[in-house]
Amino acid sequence: MEDITLFLVRYLHVLSGIMWIGILWYFNFVQIPCMAKIPADQKPAISKVIAPEALFWFRWGAAFTVLFGLILAWMNGYIHEALTLQRPDIGFGMWLGLIMAFNVWFVIWPAQKIALGLVEADAEAKPKAGRRAMLFSRANTLMSIPMLFSMISGQNPTGLY
Amino acid sequence: MSKILESLSMTIVAGIVLTILMVIATHEIDKMNQSNVHKAISDIQQKMN
């Protein structure tokens, strides 16, 4: 019973993680670079339709990845060692994931609500918010690289340490 | 920092650099943990003798 529960929690953690990081990389590798090439009259297709929908799955993917990840660490008995970096192989990855999830919910999503006109804001506030969302999304892309390395090395010894 | 983040390729390079730093830090922390364990075992053995 324990084995299947552990497996299911890990499965749900990876599923939500793919939702989260997949959309993060879509934003950074596809949407942001392509926005400049889209004619102005067609941009609302992104800002009014695609981006809000993508952001919904993105932020909830992040939330559930963290939730299932913490449950997994607790079930495996290493949550304290990992978060205090006594087990740095998975601990660094967990901290990077927590910082990234914080960025999603407390920086990127609030900034995107302003940039996309989902909440009332001054005309000046929109481009600033758009830039803030972009920079923090890029920062998350940067952190996703070591985060995924750590996650995989926690399960598959690299021989590096 | 924003100059790096404005460029996707620089962002990826920075991510790889951070990964290498993380591997080095992990190795050092592991080494420190192992030497703490060895020291603890050695202390216990000395007390027994």
Side-chain angles (χ1 to χ4, degrees):
Chain A
M1 189 60 194
E2 266 188 35
D3 283 346
I4 187 73
T5 313
L6 204 54
F7 170 79
L8 283 172
V9 173
R10 185 179 301 279
Y11 182 55
L12 291 168
H13 173 61
V14 172
L15 276 183
S16 354
I18 289 172
M19 176 67 79
W20 176 16
I21 302 303
I23 297 178
L24 173 70
W25 287 1
Y26 156 74
F27 284 145
N28 283 272
F29 285 86
V30 179
Q31 185 171 295
I32 295 169
C34 286
M35 279 305 278
K37 303 175 204 170
I38 299 175
D41 62 324
Q42 293 176 30
K43 283 193 204 291
I46 303 294
S47 57
K48 300 293 177 203
V49 182
I50 290 175
E53 187 73 12
L55 284 162
F56 172 84
W57 294 102
F58 173 66
R59 68 184 183 272
W60 286 107
F64 280 103
T65 304
V66 167
L67 174 69
F68 289 126
L70 290 171
I71 293 171
L72 195 56
W74 173 72
M75 286 175 75
N76 276 314
Y78 60 67
I79 188 167
H80 181 257
E81 283 91 344
L83 291 176
T84 54
L85 297 181
Q86 290 169 69
R87 262 203 67 176
D89 56 339
I90 187 67
F92 276 127
M94 287 174 70
W95 273 110
L96 286 166
L98 288 169
I99 292 166
M100 288 166 65
F102 178 88
N103 283 348
V104 168
W105 277 93
F106 297 104
V107 184
I108 296 169
W109 175 228
Q112 286 285 32
K113 280 194 281 190
I114 295 170
L116 297 172
L118 300 175
V119 296
E120 294 279 336
D122 303 334
E124 301 171 348
K126 281 189 181 185
K128 282 185 187 169
R131 181 171 164 75
R132 188 163 61 249
M134 186 278 286
L135 289 175
F136 275 81
S137 188
R138 277 280 158 82
N140 272 8
T141 301
L142 190 162
M143 285 186 277
S144 70
I145 297 169
M147 182 276 293
L148 286 168
F149 187 101
S150 169
M151 289 287 147
I152 294 170
S153 80
Q155 289 297 305
N156 300 276
T158 59
L160 293 170
Y161 36 73
Chain B
M1 188 70 185
S2 60
K3 287 275 178 237
I4 293 174
L5 297 175
E6 278 164 11
S7 157
L8 183 57
S9 18
M10 290 299 296
T11 298
I12 293 166
V13 169
I16 294 168
V17 168
L18 186 59
T19 303
I20 293 167
L21 291 174
M22 183 187 74
V23 169
I24 294 169
T26 301
H27 179 76
E28 292 303 312
I29 292 171
D30 262 359
K31 219 164 61 173
M32 207 164 62
N33 285 342
Q34 278 170 23
S35 81
N36 286 343
V37 166
H38 289 144
K39 187 176 179 311
I41 291 170
S42 160
D43 285 349
I44 291 167
Q45 282 173 337
Q46 279 185 355
K47 281 180 188 163
M48 281 167 64
N49 295 338

